[in-house]
Amino acid sequence: DVRQSKKNSAYSKFKGIKPYNRETDYITRSKPTTEEMQIINSVSESGLGSSITFSSAVIDSEGWKDVNDNVYAKLLRIASQTGQSYEVKTGFVERKKNDNMGAIAMNSHNSGYAVDIVITESNRDDTVVAASRAGFTGIGIYTGHLHLDLGARRGWQKGFSGADLTINQLLLDEHSIDSFKKKRS
């Protein structure tokens, strides 16, 4: 009974997330618009437009230079949907040799198709919905940031418990079936 009560409470909160309620499908262009490309073409270490900035680690490693234009376009769409500004915590990361095995460590940040953005507890839910709507297919929810990429459609979370764990899982379940973009009956 206690578990069901917590689940019902989390589900009620989840249904109240602003971008979730909608009447029709949410259409997102697959390629950047002309306006987005103008902003993307002016990207520098000071940021992407007025809503996306880069952490000092991203600036120092020049990790902002090799991020794919489609990733930047989707970041701009998140900022537009939520009305929030975001800091890119991790951008492109050079591949590093694994000293133990002699292999090269590979992750989505090595491809330029992934970023991590700083979030707060208060903007986490809306940002996850906006990221899914913007076209990010990989979404990882962590306590202080979101991992966003253009790999396979999937979602995961780390570092949560209780109601936050349940709400995050509901968000990720909806993302996994692309429900934030396609109206479901």
Side-chain angles (χ1 to χ4, degrees):
D1 288 342
V2 171
R3 183 172 33 183
Q4 187 61 40
S5 174
K6 285 181 180 179
K7 187 174 182 178
N8 290 342
S9 174
Y11 193 69
S12 294
K13 182 180 175 192
F14 169 73
K15 285 294 188 181
I17 296 170
K18 289 180 281 183
Y20 179 78
N21 300 318
R22 66 201 178 284
E23 299 296 321
T24 61
D25 288 349
Y26 190 90
I27 307 299
T28 303
R29 291 174 49 111
S30 60
K31 303 220 183 255
T33 66
T34 303
E35 295 81 20
E36 289 168 341
M37 280 310 298
Q38 288 174 342
I39 296 170
I40 292 166
N41 288 335
S42 67
V43 68
S44 69
E45 65 183 34
S46 58
L48 180 65
S50 60
S51 56
I52 308 295
T53 59
F54 302 121
S55 70
S56 58
V58 172
I59 293 169
D60 292 346
S61 68
E62 296 185 339
W64 57 274
K65 288 184 175 181
D66 292 318
V67 173
N68 183 273
D69 290 348
N70 287 318
V71 171
Y72 278 150
K74 290 170 184 2
L75 279 177
L76 291 170
R77 292 172 188 170
I78 291 172
S80 174
Q81 288 179 56
T82 63
Q84 301 276 322
S85 294
Y86 295 95
E87 178 184 66
V88 174
K89 173 183 173 176
T90 310
F92 176 82
V93 177
E94 281 292 326
R95 294 181 191 175
K96 297 212 176 12
K97 187 172 182 178
N98 182 335
D99 292 332
N100 296 332
M101 303 296 284
I104 294 177
M106 180 68 174
N107 69 47
S108 56
H109 288 283
N110 303 141
S111 67
Y113 288 94
V115 293
D116 294 342
I117 60 172
V118 177
I119 56 163
T120 63
E121 185 178 338
S122 64
N123 73 0
R124 178 180 60 224
D125 299 344
D126 288 342
T127 305
V128 169
V129 172
S132 184
R133 282 183 162 185
F136 282 105
T137 48
I139 299 178
I141 307 173
Y142 297 84
T143 52
H145 72 277
L146 285 184
H147 169 88
L148 305 170
D149 69 51
L150 300 180
R153 181 165 293 281
R154 68 210 188 288
W156 66 94
Q157 61 177 317
K158 190 168 185 175
F160 294 96
S161 62
D164 283 339
L165 179 71
T166 305
I167 292 168
N168 290 344
Q169 194 57 55
L170 289 168
L171 287 166
L172 293 172
D173 289 348
E174 293 286 316
H175 165 71
S176 293
I177 61 171
D178 208 14
S179 184
F180 291 120
K181 290 171 41 177
K182 295 179 180 155
K183 185 177 179 188
R184 306 279 185 209
S185 56

